[in-house]
Amino acid sequence: MRIVVLDGYCLNPGDLSWEKLKLLGEFTVFDRTPANLTIERAKNADALLTNKTILNAENMAQMPNLKYIGILATGYNVVDLNYTNNHEIVVTNIPAYSTSSVAQMVFAHILNITNSVDFHSQIVHNGEWTRSIDFCFWRKPQIELAGKTIGLVGLGNTGMATARIALAFGMKVIAVTSKKNLSNDIKHVSYNELWQQSDIISLHCPLCADTKQIINADSLSQMKPTAILINTGRGPLIDEQALANALNTGKIAAAAVDVLSTEPPKADNPLLTARNCFITPHIAWATAEARQRLMDIAAGNLQSFINGNAVNVVKN
């Protein structure tokens, strides 16, 4: 079996091993594949592994041997599933590999905002504590999480992991979710109730027509002026200009995002210069532990396919 990884760098910049996949066939890995080289690199492959490289009907039509596509992520919008279904190409993804890591990043952002961790570290290194006449000082308010309300949009694996951490901090948890029979610790609310009641809002829903730009001028207008918005889900869940406007005019207090509508962002993205907007470069998933888990599941998916018992198959 000829196996080609089209864009392996973000999964494995050199600190992991491809060995489990190498054992499954003739193996080639490319760090990145520009669109104009996709066909050339994939045309003889039996199995392709891709993260963000687009596999559409036009280019897959020129890959006559292709039998399997392993997506090195949970989302599968990079593959034309209509084409793969019609041509009996099996597509798999990697579900729930980064749940703990993403929930951890949610609280890394929350704690950085509520305790101004990075800000106070910087001013200490700039000499302000050395010059202080007091044993302590703070230049931004210190906010306790206990008793605050966190609103979760979506209660999948990551939403539930985030809820458990919030409860451990003594927070009240409310959620918009299709799940029934929630525990007594989590209260089911409407969108409007969530916008209005939450001290912190964290997005954990899939991106679809109903959730695209769910954070917009209207939802932002309902939030508390002290509200904090967290997005570790999908960039297009947010109308970025509306959020920038809300931050710059003080309609909400702060936002932290690990994902943007276009990645890498364009230089004129309004969130790059917005007040109290904290941005990390799509790294919530990228702990060494989560990436190793992803690597192991990817190898297991391909091995199961070879054995005739495909798992984690994506259906259109």
Side-chain angles (χ1 to χ4, degrees), residues 111-178:
L111 293 170
N112 182 53
I113 293 171
T114 55
N115 293 100
S116 302
V117 177
D118 184 58
F119 170 80
H120 283 101
S121 178
Q122 288 185 35
I123 63 176
V124 166
H125 284 289
N126 290 339
E128 190 161 341
W129 199 8
T130 303
R131 297 188 296 269
S132 176
I133 62 173
D134 299 308
F135 79 94
C136 74
F137 68 91
W138 54 93
R139 294 291 173 262
K140 294 185 178 182
Q142 299 293 287
I143 300 169
E144 186 174 83
L145 292 178
K148 298 294 190 297
T149 297
I150 186 169
L152 304 176
V153 181
L155 272 182
N157 292 320
T158 308
M160 285 301 300
T162 302
R164 288 192 291 270
I165 298 172
L167 291 168
F169 271 103
M171 302 183 74
K172 300 173 185 176
V173 180
I174 62 177
V176 171
T177 176
S178 59

Side-chain angles (χ1 to χ4, degrees), residues 42-313:
K43 63 184 179 182
N44 296 319
D46 301 296
L48 289 176
L49 302 183
T50 180
N51 190 329
K52 293 293 185 286
T53 302
I54 300 295
L55 294 173
N56 54 35
E58 181 181 359
N59 58 33
M60 284 190 285
Q62 299 181 65
M63 304 171 190
N65 300 325
L66 187 61
K67 305 175 186 67
Y68 174 89
I69 297 170
I71 301 171
L72 300 173
T74 303
Y76 44 83
N77 58 301
V78 297
V79 175
D80 184 334
L81 294 181
N82 289 324
Y83 183 92
T84 57
N85 287 344
N86 290 335
H87 292 79
E88 298 183 345
I89 298 168
V90 173
V91 180
T92 66
N93 71 340
I94 316 288
Y97 69 93
S98 62
T99 297
S100 296
S101 295
V102 176
Q104 178 178 313
M105 179 62 82
V106 171
F107 274 86
H109 275 300
I110 290 172
L111 293 170
N112 182 53
I113 293 171
T114 55
N115 293 100
S116 302
V117 177
D118 184 58
F119 170 80
H120 283 101
S121 178
Q122 288 185 35
I123 63 176
V124 166
H125 284 289
N126 290 339
E128 190 161 341
W129 199 8
T130 303
R131 297 188 296 269
S132 176
I133 62 173
D134 299 308
F135 79 94
C136 74
F137 68 91
W138 54 93
R139 294 291 173 262
K140 294 185 178 182
Q142 299 293 287
I143 300 169
E144 186 174 83
L145 292 178
K148 298 294 190 297
T149 297
I150 186 169
L152 304 176
V153 181
L155 272 182
N157 292 320
T158 308
M160 285 301 300
T162 302
R164 288 192 291 270
I165 298 172
L167 291 168
F169 271 103
M171 302 183 74
K172 300 173 185 176
V173 180
I174 62 177
V176 171
T177 176
S178 59
K179 285 189 175 180
K180 309 296 183 183
N181 303 318
L182 297 179
S183 70
N184 292 332
D185 293 327
I186 303 174
K187 181 182 177 183
H188 190 289
V189 296
S190 67
Y191 278 114
N192 288 344
E193 289 171 323
L194 188 138
W195 308 143
Q196 295 162 17
Q197 296 175 20
S198 299
D199 298 297
I200 299 171
I201 294 167
S202 189
L203 306 181
H204 299 284
C205 54
L207 176 64
C208 61
D210 290 338
T211 60
K212 185 176 182 180
Q213 296 195 350
I214 196 168
I215 300 301
N216 51 47
D218 177 63
S219 54
L220 288 160
S221 71
Q222 299 182 58
M223 297 178 193
K224 299 178 182 181
T226 54
I228 298 167
L229 175 68
I230 310 290
N231 186 18
T232 55
R234 294 289 183 265
L237 295 173
I238 293 177
D239 178 336
E240 291 170 340
Q241 187 61 63
L243 176 57
N245 293 345
L247 291 167
N248 291 332
T249 59
K251 288 183 179 178
I252 69 169
V257 299
D258 187 58
V259 287
L260 292 171
S261 60
T262 300
E263 296 173 347
K266 297 178 180 178
D268 61 353
N269 186 304
L271 293 183
L272 295 176
T273 54
R275 168 185 168 273
N276 288 346
C277 188
F278 301 86
I279 304 173
T280 46
H282 204 143
I283 55 172
W285 70 283
T287 61
E289 293 83 357
R291 289 185 293 108
Q292 183 62 62
R293 197 175 298 120
L294 190 159
M295 181 78 81
D296 292 344
I297 296 171
N301 284 351
L302 182 53
Q303 180 69 75
S304 295
F305 168 76
I306 293 169
N307 293 343
N309 184 31
V311 297
N312 295 321
V313 176

